[in-house]
Amino acid sequence: MTKNPDSALARIRFVLVEPSLSGNIGAVARAMKTMGLSRLELVAPKQPLDAEALARACGADDLLQRAGLHADLNEAIADCRLVIGTSARRRTLDWETLEPPETARKLLAETAEGEVALLLGRESSGLTNAELARCQFLVHIPTNPDFSSLNLAAAAQVFAYEIRRCWREGLPEPTRTPSSALSGETPRDLATAQELEGLHGHLADTLRDIGFGDPDSSKKLLLRLRRLFNRARPDRVEMNILRGILSAAQGRKSGARPTPPTD
């Protein structure tokens, strides 16, 4: 595949989750455009894009006009093969946490095969644990521990700059497993965020059907399983196999004959 640097930047989306102030959305658009990024997606913003947003965009009005507006996070990242979430604090479970330069390299490398997303959370509270559970990696900006506050646009500018710096150095190689790299195979056709979410819903239903605990009161178990599959990053064939196994388990419990999965 011939790499196109411009299409790499076009496949990186910044997703703002429930931003509170329209002015901050405009400022993020400005931060992105100065670094050649153009994909802005908004999840349930608290204010409409108004004159304040346009004023803070300072000429990045086109990004605001093209920005996607989504009712929920599922919709905003459905077709993404890699999702990285920003986090300013430690979480209950262990997460693989990157710094901005490594985040930029991973995002750009994955654009050779599909869409990627960087999630930025609410100004006051960031992303929830449930939203972070949709991410393969977290990223933390190593600010001054005595004064670590960064506003939304400032954080976006840090990430946008690192992406452009990495892009100017040359696009990283697509992510490959060690075995595929040795054998010369093409990069894996990874499951999208929407497909992974379908697996997690199917898994929760199956655990309930076979009586393996009570998923409604075992959120930590399901969260750990999410982290397991986020680390494994199954491809589409593996996803079909996993869902076939779950269907077979459900069929055995109900007495129905399961249908074998197809590739």
Side-chain angles (χ1 to χ4, degrees), residues 170-202:
L171 297 182
E173 287 301 314
T175 300
R176 298 171 185 243
T177 59
S179 59
S180 66
L182 289 172
S183 64
E185 294 175 10
T186 56
R188 298 163 64 215
D189 183 18
L190 298 178
T192 64
Q194 184 177 42
E195 290 163 341
L196 278 170
E197 194 61 15
L199 170 67
H200 291 302
H202 195 172

PDB file of all heavy atoms in Angstrom, residues 170-202:
ATOM      1  N   GLY A 170       7.889  11.469   9.062  1.00  0.00           N
ATOM      2  CA  GLY A 170       7.608  10.315   8.217  1.00  0.00           C
ATOM      3  C   GLY A 170       6.658   9.372   8.917  1.00  0.00           C
ATOM      4  O   GLY A 170       6.763   9.161  10.125  1.00  0.00           O
ATOM      5  N   LEU A 171       5.711   8.804   8.171  1.00  0.00           N
ATOM      6  CA  LEU A 171       4.687   7.964   8.771  1.00  0.00           C
ATOM      7  C   LEU A 171       5.284   6.686   9.338  1.00  0.00           C
ATOM      8  O   LEU A 171       6.069   6.013   8.672  1.00  0.00           O
ATOM      9  CB  LEU A 171       3.614   7.610   7.740  1.00  0.00           C
ATOM     10  CG  LEU A 171       2.822   8.795   7.175  1.00  0.00           C
ATOM     11  CD1 LEU A 171       1.767   8.289   6.209  1.00  0.00           C
ATOM     12  CD2 LEU A 171       2.178   9.609   8.273  1.00  0.00           C
ATOM     13  N   PRO A 172       4.914   6.333  10.581  1.00  0.00           N
ATOM     14  CA  PRO A 172       5.394   5.069  11.150  1.00  0.00           C
ATOM     15  C   PRO A 172       4.824   3.883  10.390  1.00  0.00           C
ATOM     16  O   PRO A 172       3.821   3.992   9.681  1.00  0.00           O
ATOM     17  CB  PRO A 172       4.858   5.102  12.591  1.00  0.00           C
ATOM     18  CG  PRO A 172       4.411   6.515  12.833  1.00  0.00           C
ATOM     19  CD  PRO A 172       4.044   7.068  11.497  1.00  0.00           C
ATOM     20  N   GLU A 173       5.475   2.729  10.548  1.00  0.00           N
ATOM     21  CA  GLU A 173       4.973   1.507   9.923  1.00  0.00           C
ATOM     22  C   GLU A 173       3.684   1.061  10.597  1.00  0.00           C
ATOM     23  O   GLU A 173       3.519   1.254  11.803  1.00  0.00           O
ATOM     24  CB  GLU A 173       6.006   0.385  10.045  1.00  0.00           C
ATOM     25  CG  GLU A 173       7.212   0.571   9.130  1.00  0.00           C
ATOM     26  CD  GLU A 173       6.810   0.651   7.664  1.00  0.00           C
ATOM     27  OE1 GLU A 173       5.999  -0.189   7.221  1.00  0.00           O
ATOM     28  OE2 GLU A 173       7.290   1.560   6.967  1.00  0.00           O
ATOM     29  N   PRO A 174       2.748   0.453   9.832  1.00  0.00           N
ATOM     30  CA  PRO A 174       1.518  -0.059  10.429  1.00  0.00           C
ATOM     31  C   PRO A 174       1.812  -1.065  11.525  1.00  0.00           C
ATOM     32  O   PRO A 174       2.813  -1.775  11.477  1.00  0.00           O
ATOM     33  CB  PRO A 174       0.793  -0.735   9.253  1.00  0.00           C
ATOM     34  CG  PRO A 174       1.389  -0.125   8.031  1.00  0.00           C
ATOM     35  CD  PRO A 174       2.805   0.230   8.383  1.00  0.00           C
ATOM     36  N   THR A 175       0.915  -1.120  12.518  1.00  0.00           N
ATOM     37  CA  THR A 175       1.076  -2.060  13.620  1.00  0.00           C
ATOM     38  C   THR A 175       0.923  -3.486  13.115  1.00  0.00           C
ATOM     39  O   THR A 175      -0.026  -3.805  12.410  1.00  0.00           O
ATOM     40  CB  THR A 175       0.007  -1.790  14.695  1.00  0.00           C
ATOM     41  OG1 THR A 175       0.184  -0.461  15.160  1.00  0.00           O
ATOM     42  CG2 THR A 175       0.137  -2.750  15.856  1.00  0.00           C
ATOM     43  N   ARG A 176       1.878  -4.359  13.467  1.00  0.00           N
ATOM     44  CA  ARG A 176       1.824  -5.765  13.083  1.00  0.00           C
ATOM     45  C   ARG A 176       2.120  -6.625  14.301  1.00  0.00           C
ATOM     46  O   ARG A 176       2.828  -6.198  15.208  1.00  0.00           O
ATOM     47  CB  ARG A 176       2.865  -6.087  12.001  1.00  0.00           C
ATOM     48  CG  ARG A 176       2.668  -5.329  10.692  1.00  0.00           C
ATOM     49  CD  ARG A 176       3.871  -5.545   9.783  1.00  0.00           C
ATOM     50  NE  ARG A 176       3.750  -4.730   8.580  1.00  0.00           N
ATOM     51  CZ  ARG A 176       3.664  -5.244   7.359  1.00  0.00           C
ATOM     52  NH1 ARG A 176       3.649  -6.534   7.174  1.00  0.00           N
ATOM     53  NH2 ARG A 176       3.577  -4.457   6.313  1.00  0.00           N
ATOM     54  N   THR A 177       1.590  -7.823  14.303  1.00  0.00           N
ATOM     55  CA  THR A 177       1.971  -8.772  15.340  1.00  0.00           C
ATOM     56  C   THR A 177       3.374  -9.282  15.017  1.00  0.00           C
ATOM     57  O   THR A 177       3.808  -9.229  13.865  1.00  0.00           O
ATOM     58  CB  THR A 177       1.005  -9.971  15.373  1.00  0.00           C
ATOM     59  OG1 THR A 177       1.041 -10.605  14.097  1.00  0.00           O
ATOM     60  CG2 THR A 177      -0.401  -9.521  15.674  1.00  0.00           C
ATOM     61  N   PRO A 178       4.150  -9.784  15.998  1.00  0.00           N
ATOM     62  CA  PRO A 178       5.490 -10.302  15.700  1.00  0.00           C
ATOM     63  C   PRO A 178       5.488 -11.371  14.613  1.00  0.00           C
ATOM     64  O   PRO A 178       6.337 -11.381  13.737  1.00  0.00           O
ATOM     65  CB  PRO A 178       5.939 -10.869  17.050  1.00  0.00           C
ATOM     66  CG  PRO A 178       5.189 -10.069  18.070  1.00  0.00           C
ATOM     67  CD  PRO A 178       3.855  -9.802  17.433  1.00  0.00           C
ATOM     68  N   SER A 179       4.493 -12.278  14.638  1.00  0.00           N
ATOM     69  CA  SER A 179       4.473 -13.361  13.647  1.00  0.00           C
ATOM     70  C   SER A 179       4.205 -12.834  12.246  1.00  0.00           C
ATOM     71  O   SER A 179       4.823 -13.266  11.281  1.00  0.00           O
ATOM     72  CB  SER A 179       3.418 -14.398  14.025  1.00  0.00           C
ATOM     73  OG  SER A 179       2.138 -13.793  14.083  1.00  0.00           O
ATOM     74  N   SER A 180       3.293 -11.874  12.123  1.00  0.00           N
ATOM     75  CA  SER A 180       2.992 -11.349  10.785  1.00  0.00           C
ATOM     76  C   SER A 180       4.153 -10.524  10.253  1.00  0.00           C
ATOM     77  O   SER A 180       4.413 -10.496   9.053  1.00  0.00           O
ATOM     78  CB  SER A 180       1.712 -10.505  10.811  1.00  0.00           C
ATOM     79  OG  SER A 180       1.891  -9.338  11.583  1.00  0.00           O
ATOM     80  N   ALA A 181       4.881  -9.832  11.160  1.00  0.00           N
ATOM     81  CA  ALA A 181       6.031  -9.053  10.716  1.00  0.00           C
ATOM     82  C   ALA A 181       7.117  -9.966  10.160  1.00  0.00           C
ATOM     83  O   ALA A 181       7.756  -9.663   9.156  1.00  0.00           O
ATOM     84  CB  ALA A 181       6.576  -8.230  11.886  1.00  0.00           C
ATOM     85  N   LEU A 182       7.331 -11.120  10.807  1.00  0.00           N
ATOM     86  CA  LEU A 182       8.368 -12.053  10.350  1.00  0.00           C
ATOM     87  C   LEU A 182       7.980 -12.719   9.041  1.00  0.00           C
ATOM     88  O   LEU A 182       8.817 -12.986   8.188  1.00  0.00           O
ATOM     89  CB  LEU A 182       8.620 -13.115  11.422  1.00  0.00           C
ATOM     90  CG  LEU A 182       9.344 -12.622  12.690  1.00  0.00           C
ATOM     91  CD1 LEU A 182       9.359 -13.721  13.741  1.00  0.00           C
ATOM     92  CD2 LEU A 182      10.768 -12.183  12.361  1.00  0.00           C
ATOM     93  N   SER A 183       6.698 -13.023   8.878  1.00  0.00           N
ATOM     94  CA  SER A 183       6.266 -13.752   7.690  1.00  0.00           C
ATOM     95  C   SER A 183       5.957 -12.848   6.510  1.00  0.00           C
ATOM     96  O   SER A 183       5.685 -13.327   5.425  1.00  0.00           O
ATOM     97  CB  SER A 183       5.018 -14.575   8.030  1.00  0.00           C
ATOM     98  OG  SER A 183       3.939 -13.715   8.366  1.00  0.00           O
ATOM     99  N   GLY A 184       5.967 -11.535   6.751  1.00  0.00           N
ATOM    100  CA  GLY A 184       5.681 -10.608   5.662  1.00  0.00           C
ATOM    101  C   GLY A 184       4.200 -10.454   5.380  1.00  0.00           C
ATOM    102  O   GLY A 184       3.817  -9.915   4.348  1.00  0.00           O
ATOM    103  N   GLU A 185       3.346 -10.914   6.282  1.00  0.00           N
ATOM    104  CA  GLU A 185       1.906 -10.788   6.074  1.00  0.00           C
ATOM    105  C   GLU A 185       1.485  -9.321   6.175  1.00  0.00           C
ATOM    106  O   GLU A 185       2.162  -8.498   6.768  1.00  0.00           O
ATOM    107  CB  GLU A 185       1.148 -11.608   7.128  1.00  0.00           C
ATOM    108  CG  GLU A 185       1.353 -13.105   7.008  1.00  0.00           C
ATOM    109  CD  GLU A 185       0.681 -13.844   8.148  1.00  0.00           C
ATOM    110  OE1 GLU A 185      -0.080 -13.206   8.899  1.00  0.00           O
ATOM    111  OE2 GLU A 185       0.929 -15.044   8.295  1.00  0.00           O
ATOM    112  N   THR A 186       0.345  -9.014   5.595  1.00  0.00           N
ATOM    113  CA  THR A 186      -0.195  -7.661   5.695  1.00  0.00           C
ATOM    114  C   THR A 186      -0.719  -7.429   7.109  1.00  0.00           C
ATOM    115  O   THR A 186      -1.013  -8.382   7.827  1.00  0.00           O
ATOM    116  CB  THR A 186      -1.356  -7.467   4.692  1.00  0.00           C
ATOM    117  OG1 THR A 186      -2.343  -8.471   4.951  1.00  0.00           O
ATOM    118  CG2 THR A 186      -0.863  -7.568   3.271  1.00  0.00           C
ATOM    119  N   PRO A 187      -0.835  -6.148   7.534  1.00  0.00           N
ATOM    120  CA  PRO A 187      -1.369  -5.866   8.863  1.00  0.00           C
ATOM    121  C   PRO A 187      -2.764  -6.475   9.046  1.00  0.00           C
ATOM    122  O   PRO A 187      -3.512  -6.658   8.096  1.00  0.00           O
ATOM    123  CB  PRO A 187      -1.435  -4.328   8.887  1.00  0.00           C
ATOM    124  CG  PRO A 187      -0.390  -3.901   7.916  1.00  0.00           C
ATOM    125  CD  PRO A 187      -0.406  -4.942   6.838  1.00  0.00           C
ATOM    126  N   ARG A 188      -3.097  -6.812  10.294  1.00  0.00           N
ATOM    127  CA  ARG A 188      -4.345  -7.492  10.598  1.00  0.00           C
ATOM    128  C   ARG A 188      -5.554  -6.587  10.378  1.00  0.00           C
ATOM    129  O   ARG A 188      -5.483  -5.383  10.592  1.00  0.00           O
ATOM    130  CB  ARG A 188      -4.318  -7.954  12.055  1.00  0.00           C
ATOM    131  CG  ARG A 188      -3.222  -8.943  12.348  1.00  0.00           C
ATOM    132  CD  ARG A 188      -2.979  -9.047  13.833  1.00  0.00           C
ATOM    133  NE  ARG A 188      -4.150  -9.565  14.514  1.00  0.00           N
ATOM    134  CZ  ARG A 188      -4.529  -9.188  15.727  1.00  0.00           C
ATOM    135  NH1 ARG A 188      -3.859  -8.266  16.370  1.00  0.00           N
ATOM    136  NH2 ARG A 188      -5.586  -9.722  16.288  1.00  0.00           N
ATOM    137  N   ASP A 189      -6.637  -7.183   9.943  1.00  0.00           N
ATOM    138  CA  ASP A 189      -7.901  -6.473   9.744  1.00  0.00           C
ATOM    139  C   ASP A 189      -8.631  -6.438  11.088  1.00  0.00           C
ATOM    140  O   ASP A 189      -9.495  -7.257  11.371  1.00  0.00           O
ATOM    141  CB  ASP A 189      -8.728  -7.214   8.681  1.00  0.00           C
ATOM    142  CG  ASP A 189     -10.019  -6.487   8.361  1.00  0.00           C
ATOM    143  OD1 ASP A 189     -10.119  -5.283   8.680  1.00  0.00           O
ATOM    144  OD2 ASP A 189     -10.934  -7.123   7.808  1.00  0.00           O
ATOM    145  N   LEU A 190      -8.254  -5.472  11.915  1.00  0.00           N
ATOM    146  CA  LEU A 190      -8.759  -5.434  13.286  1.00  0.00           C
ATOM    147  C   LEU A 190     -10.241  -5.101  13.345  1.00  0.00           C
ATOM    148  O   LEU A 190     -10.779  -4.383  12.502  1.00  0.00           O
ATOM    149  CB  LEU A 190      -7.974  -4.397  14.096  1.00  0.00           C
ATOM    150  CG  LEU A 190      -6.474  -4.653  14.258  1.00  0.00           C
ATOM    151  CD1 LEU A 190      -5.823  -3.512  15.032  1.00  0.00           C
ATOM    152  CD2 LEU A 190      -6.223  -5.979  14.956  1.00  0.00           C
ATOM    153  N   ALA A 191     -10.892  -5.629  14.378  1.00  0.00           N
ATOM    154  CA  ALA A 191     -12.300  -5.316  14.613  1.00  0.00           C
ATOM    155  C   ALA A 191     -12.443  -3.833  14.939  1.00  0.00           C
ATOM    156  O   ALA A 191     -11.559  -3.225  15.552  1.00  0.00           O
ATOM    157  CB  ALA A 191     -12.828  -6.156  15.772  1.00  0.00           C
ATOM    158  N   THR A 192     -13.558  -3.250  14.534  1.00  0.00           N
ATOM    159  CA  THR A 192     -13.819  -1.840  14.827  1.00  0.00           C
ATOM    160  C   THR A 192     -14.404  -1.700  16.229  1.00  0.00           C
ATOM    161  O   THR A 192     -14.784  -2.687  16.873  1.00  0.00           O
ATOM    162  CB  THR A 192     -14.821  -1.259  13.823  1.00  0.00           C
ATOM    163  OG1 THR A 192     -16.079  -1.943  13.974  1.00  0.00           O
ATOM    164  CG2 THR A 192     -14.327  -1.405  12.394  1.00  0.00           C
ATOM    165  N   ALA A 193     -14.499  -0.460  16.685  1.00  0.00           N
ATOM    166  CA  ALA A 193     -15.080  -0.190  18.004  1.00  0.00           C
ATOM    167  C   ALA A 193     -16.513  -0.710  18.081  1.00  0.00           C
ATOM    168  O   ALA A 193     -16.939  -1.260  19.105  1.00  0.00           O
ATOM    169  CB  ALA A 193     -15.038   1.305  18.294  1.00  0.00           C
ATOM    170  N   GLN A 194     -17.269  -0.549  16.995  1.00  0.00           N
ATOM    171  CA  GLN A 194     -18.655  -1.033  16.981  1.00  0.00           C
ATOM    172  C   GLN A 194     -18.698  -2.556  17.096  1.00  0.00           C
ATOM    173  O   GLN A 194     -19.528  -3.114  17.828  1.00  0.00           O
ATOM    174  CB  GLN A 194     -19.341  -0.578  15.695  1.00  0.00           C
ATOM    175  CG  GLN A 194     -20.819  -0.947  15.629  1.00  0.00           C
ATOM    176  CD  GLN A 194     -21.458  -0.406  14.375  1.00  0.00           C
ATOM    177  OE1 GLN A 194     -20.880  -0.459  13.283  1.00  0.00           O
ATOM    178  NE2 GLN A 194     -22.647   0.150  14.509  1.00  0.00           N
ATOM    179  N   GLU A 195     -17.808  -3.240  16.389  1.00  0.00           N
ATOM    180  CA  GLU A 195     -17.776  -4.705  16.448  1.00  0.00           C
ATOM    181  C   GLU A 195     -17.347  -5.196  17.828  1.00  0.00           C
ATOM    182  O   GLU A 195     -17.884  -6.175  18.352  1.00  0.00           O
ATOM    183  CB  GLU A 195     -16.849  -5.237  15.356  1.00  0.00           C
ATOM    184  CG  GLU A 195     -17.430  -5.051  13.962  1.00  0.00           C
ATOM    185  CD  GLU A 195     -16.396  -5.187  12.857  1.00  0.00           C
ATOM    186  OE1 GLU A 195     -15.183  -5.078  13.125  1.00  0.00           O
ATOM    187  OE2 GLU A 195     -16.812  -5.398  11.694  1.00  0.00           O
ATOM    188  N   LEU A 196     -16.384  -4.510  18.432  1.00  0.00           N
ATOM    189  CA  LEU A 196     -15.967  -4.872  19.789  1.00  0.00           C
ATOM    190  C   LEU A 196     -17.102  -4.671  20.780  1.00  0.00           C
ATOM    191  O   LEU A 196     -17.308  -5.485  21.684  1.00  0.00           O
ATOM    192  CB  LEU A 196     -14.759  -4.037  20.208  1.00  0.00           C
ATOM    193  CG  LEU A 196     -13.400  -4.514  19.713  1.00  0.00           C
ATOM    194  CD1 LEU A 196     -12.341  -3.464  19.999  1.00  0.00           C
ATOM    195  CD2 LEU A 196     -13.027  -5.841  20.352  1.00  0.00           C
ATOM    196  N   GLU A 197     -17.858  -3.599  20.605  1.00  0.00           N
ATOM    197  CA  GLU A 197     -18.980  -3.351  21.520  1.00  0.00           C
ATOM    198  C   GLU A 197     -20.041  -4.434  21.367  1.00  0.00           C
ATOM    199  O   GLU A 197     -20.649  -4.866  22.349  1.00  0.00           O
ATOM    200  CB  GLU A 197     -19.577  -1.968  21.237  1.00  0.00           C
ATOM    201  CG  GLU A 197     -20.508  -1.461  22.328  1.00  0.00           C
ATOM    202  CD  GLU A 197     -19.836  -1.297  23.678  1.00  0.00           C
ATOM    203  OE1 GLU A 197     -18.584  -1.295  23.755  1.00  0.00           O
ATOM    204  OE2 GLU A 197     -20.567  -1.165  24.684  1.00  0.00           O
ATOM    205  N   GLY A 198     -20.240  -4.908  20.139  1.00  0.00           N
ATOM    206  CA  GLY A 198     -21.162  -6.022  19.924  1.00  0.00           C
ATOM    207  C   GLY A 198     -20.697  -7.276  20.645  1.00  0.00           C
ATOM    208  O   GLY A 198     -21.501  -8.015  21.233  1.00  0.00           O
ATOM    209  N   LEU A 199     -19.379  -7.529  20.618  1.00  0.00           N
ATOM    210  CA  LEU A 199     -18.824  -8.681  21.342  1.00  0.00           C
ATOM    211  C   LEU A 199     -19.070  -8.556  22.835  1.00  0.00           C
ATOM    212  O   LEU A 199     -19.489  -9.521  23.489  1.00  0.00           O
ATOM    213  CB  LEU A 199     -17.323  -8.785  21.067  1.00  0.00           C
ATOM    214  CG  LEU A 199     -16.567  -9.799  21.940  1.00  0.00           C
ATOM    215  CD1 LEU A 199     -16.999 -11.226  21.616  1.00  0.00           C
ATOM    216  CD2 LEU A 199     -15.059  -9.639  21.773  1.00  0.00           C
ATOM    217  N   HIS A 200     -18.843  -7.382  23.403  1.00  0.00           N
ATOM    218  CA  HIS A 200     -19.003  -7.210  24.847  1.00  0.00           C
ATOM    219  C   HIS A 200     -20.467  -7.361  25.269  1.00  0.00           C
ATOM    220  O   HIS A 200     -20.758  -7.937  26.325  1.00  0.00           O
ATOM    221  CB  HIS A 200     -18.449  -5.858  25.284  1.00  0.00           C
ATOM    222  CG  HIS A 200     -16.956  -5.778  25.166  1.00  0.00           C
ATOM    223  ND1 HIS A 200     -16.117  -6.658  25.813  1.00  0.00           N
ATOM    224  CD2 HIS A 200     -16.151  -4.929  24.469  1.00  0.00           C
ATOM    225  CE1 HIS A 200     -14.863  -6.355  25.517  1.00  0.00           C
ATOM    226  NE2 HIS A 200     -14.859  -5.322  24.703  1.00  0.00           N
ATOM    227  N   GLY A 201     -21.382  -6.874  24.440  1.00  0.00           N
ATOM    228  CA  GLY A 201     -22.795  -7.080  24.740  1.00  0.00           C
ATOM    229  C   GLY A 201     -23.163  -8.556  24.690  1.00  0.00           C
ATOM    230  O   GLY A 201     -23.901  -9.061  25.549  1.00  0.00           O
ATOM    231  N   HIS A 202     -22.639  -9.257  23.678  1.00  0.00           N
ATOM    232  CA  HIS A 202     -22.899 -10.688  23.514  1.00  0.00           C
ATOM    233  C   HIS A 202     -22.301 -11.469  24.686  1.00  0.00           C
ATOM    234  O   HIS A 202     -22.922 -12.392  25.221  1.00  0.00           O
ATOM    235  CB  HIS A 202     -22.279 -11.157  22.193  1.00  0.00           C
ATOM    236  CG  HIS A 202     -22.758 -12.494  21.735  1.00  0.00           C
ATOM    237  ND1 HIS A 202     -22.439 -13.019  20.499  1.00  0.00           N
ATOM    238  CD2 HIS A 202     -23.518 -13.449  22.345  1.00  0.00           C
ATOM    239  CE1 HIS A 202     -22.986 -14.214  20.376  1.00  0.00           C
ATOM    240  NE2 HIS A 202     -23.638 -14.502  21.489  1.00  0.00           N
TER     241      HIS A 202
END
